[in-house]
Amino acid sequence: MTQDSADVIIVGGSLGGCMASLAIAKMGLNVIMTEETNWIGGQLTSQAVPPDEHQWIEKFGCTSTYREFRNRVRNYYKSNYPLTKSARDNELINPGNGWVSRLTHEPKVALQVIEDMLSPYLNSGRIQIRLNFKPVDASMIKDNITSVIVQHVYNHIKVELTGKYFLDATELGDLLPLVGAEYVTGAESQKDTGEPHALEEANPFDTQSITHVFAVDYVEGGNFTIEEPEQYNFWKKFVPEFSDMPLLSWYTVNTKDTTKLREFTLLPNDKGIPSLFTYRRILDVMNLKENLYEGDISLINWAQNDYFLGSIIDVSTEEKEKNLKNAKQLSLSLLYWLQTEAPRLDGGNGYPGLRLRKDVLGTEDGLAKSPYIRESRRIKAVYTITEHNVSRELIGNKGIHSYFDSVGVGSYHLDLHHTTITNRAFYIPCYPYEIPLGAFLPIRIKNLLPACKNIGTTQITNSCYRLHPTEWNIGESSGYLAAYSILNNIDAHVVRQDQSHLSKYQNLLNKFGIQIHWPEV
């Protein structure tokens, strides 16, 4: 086993991990970041999910680096793609013209842009990235982590990493159990959190569904039907408990009223039925002046391929692998259903012109390198964010909940996708929210910080804090916190406890373009 060291070790190359590494490097410290796949960038890249964002994102409500990322994506298309004049002149061009976001774009473009943002520090060696490595063990002395052992997922080489601070930026909070950190999984109880939408009894295995995203284009008149998936007959007949329609149908739960269903179809039409192909479309050929692509490209991340039949957190290896395989089979079954049996508005069935685009996601099976993870292990923190801090229904006319120790901002609905045991789902309006430093601080371990979806939220509040701009902000603020603590030779907990340090740290965040309070919205 080899050894390596840096000021900060970041386990996980998620969006949060990437931004934590950037923040630490800007502070003049050295970073080693590991990543289980061969793509950094998490939600935007290896999980293939275009950014979910709030309505003010073009003007405010995110960090300056997140805005830089968005500008760089648009400039990438303008610099490298043969765009039409109207697309090139559009300051707010949406490359895919998808309706999930104001900026739907190809995962490979996001990967390139993130790597470009890190490039000065990668090229100088201040940031080192070890791809295809996952954490397998750790060493402790009392309440401090001394090292983390990571292992290559293919050749099984192990490396022991030492540092002053360790950040968990994995999608599932994989470092937490290895270091013995106190954490929560799944659903808390009303007794635990006081939240009206929590369960009466906690269930750590009642986690949100995962989704194995895939990319397709549509070529009218083509036939790209895949081989019938192994589990197709099961998924074709499967009717969820919360619906009277098969999962593979054009009817899904209405987010505005989860007791009702809503009808969709594949392509745009004159009947007013929403098109799911354009929902997460990442390349619209109408933006191009050359026949560069044979058809529009879309990422398929719909209610129809949300997998909720079992958790992948804190279960046996066999159970985890079974559920990961089933999630892939569900996505492939959805594709096969779309190609062969999906009802068309003209009375026919199937769209064989849908083509699985393996190249878009860089995989052999055409599915994203990782499933889309909505929920992680969450640290037991000095402060836990609950439904009472964000829900419009519970806050009433008091407005945005402000924190003295805020380190960022975000905004999204409480958007809980169907869970694995109770099959609960809801979509509850929220106020814009701030991100409290207290949610970053483990109740016991001194040199561990969360940098992804693993801060001190509940299952309910995680459902709004999990989105791209918020995770980005969490990682960036966590990186600056680690750097500030090292440079001032103090524990991160002291930053919150000492008003002088807290003010200096918040001023540091402001200096680097991190908005910590909302204006009147």
Side-chain angles (χ1 to χ4, degrees), residues 3 9 35 50 87:
Q3 295 181 324
I9 305 300
E35 163 55 30

Side-chain angles (χ1 to χ4, degrees), residues 26-82:
K26 284 181 176 179
M27 295 292 287
L29 301 180
N30 296 318
V31 185
I32 295 174
M33 181 172 71
T34 67
E35 163 55 30
E36 192 166 344
T37 72
N38 63 349
W39 279 10
I40 60 172
Q43 295 189 63
L44 283 172
T45 60
S46 60
Q47 296 178 38
V49 181
D52 288 296
E53 301 169 328
H54 56 71
Q55 59 186 310
W56 306 283
I57 197 67
E58 302 292 359
K59 297 180 180 179
F60 55 85
C62 65
T63 74
S64 62
T65 56
Y66 187 76
R67 180 157 291 109
E68 178 187 349
F69 166 80
R70 300 175 86 256
N71 291 338
R72 281 177 178 251
V73 167
R74 285 172 166 146
N75 288 335
Y76 187 93
Y77 281 92
K78 292 182 179 184
S79 299
N80 298 290
Y81 282 56

Side-chain angles (χ1 to χ4, degrees), residues 9-18 20-21 32-36 40-41 130 133-135 150 167-171 451-452:
I9 305 300
I10 300 177
V11 182
S14 60
L15 276 184
C18 290
S21 68
I32 295 174
M33 181 172 71
T34 67
E35 163 55 30
E36 192 166 344
I40 60 172
R130 292 181 176 265
F133 275 88
K134 65 179 181 180
V150 294
L167 274 57
D168 186 338
T170 63
E171 298 292 342
C452 197

Side-chain angles (χ1 to χ4, degrees), residues 74-273:
R74 285 172 166 146
N75 288 335
Y76 187 93
Y77 281 92
K78 292 182 179 184
S79 299
N80 298 290
Y81 282 56
L83 301 180
T84 63
K85 185 178 186 304
S86 61
R88 188 174 301 282
D89 291 345
N90 184 358
E91 182 181 350
L92 301 180
I93 181 177
N94 187 345
N97 286 322
W99 48 280
V100 70
S101 170
R102 294 169 176 82
L103 189 65
T104 51
H105 57 281
E106 296 156 282
K108 285 183 177 178
V109 173
L111 176 64
Q112 184 65 59
V113 168
I114 292 170
E115 288 178 340
D116 285 349
M117 292 177 72
L118 298 181
S119 63
Y121 307 102
L122 288 170
N123 295 341
S124 67
R126 192 172 288 177
I127 296 175
Q128 297 179 52
I129 299 177
R130 292 181 176 265
L131 298 174
N132 297 311
F133 275 88
K134 65 179 181 180
V136 293
D137 203 357
S139 298
M140 306 282 297
I141 295 179
K142 294 185 178 178
D143 293 336
N144 283 276
I145 306 168
T146 55
S147 70
V148 171
I149 296 174
V150 294
Q151 180 174 303
H152 198 279
V153 296
Y154 300 118
N155 61 29
H156 307 300
I157 291 173
K158 290 184 179 181
V159 182
E160 183 177 28
L161 302 174
T162 57
K164 297 169 185 172
Y165 267 79
F166 296 81
L167 274 57
D168 186 338
T170 63
E171 298 292 342
L172 294 172
D174 290 332
L175 186 57
L176 304 185
L178 296 179
V179 300
E182 292 79 6
Y183 65 87
V184 179
T185 64
E188 297 93 345
S189 70
Q190 292 180 8
K191 180 180 178 182
D192 291 333
T193 68
E195 296 171 307
H197 287 91
L199 296 178
E200 288 190 14
E201 296 291 334
N203 191 321
F205 299 106
D206 193 24
T207 58
Q208 282 192 81
S209 51
I210 62 174
T211 305
H212 231 114
V213 182
F214 58 95
V216 293
D217 61 5
Y218 183 68
V219 181
E220 185 68 45
N223 187 347
F224 306 102
T225 305
I226 63 171
E227 183 179 343
E228 181 177 315
E230 174 188 334
Q231 295 181 9
Y232 181 64
N233 283 331
F234 171 81
W235 290 113
K236 170 183 167 180
K237 300 173 184 175
F238 179 72
V239 179
E241 291 184 2
F242 52 80
S243 176
D244 56 5
M245 297 293 292
L247 184 61
L248 300 187
S249 74
W250 288 125
Y251 294 87
T252 70
V253 169
N254 189 331
T255 56
K256 292 182 170 55
D257 182 353
T258 54
T259 64
K260 298 178 181 178
L261 297 178
R262 186 180 180 190
E263 182 182 6
F264 294 90
T265 190
L266 184 67
L267 301 174
N269 58 87
D270 58 5
K271 297 185 178 181
I273 302 175

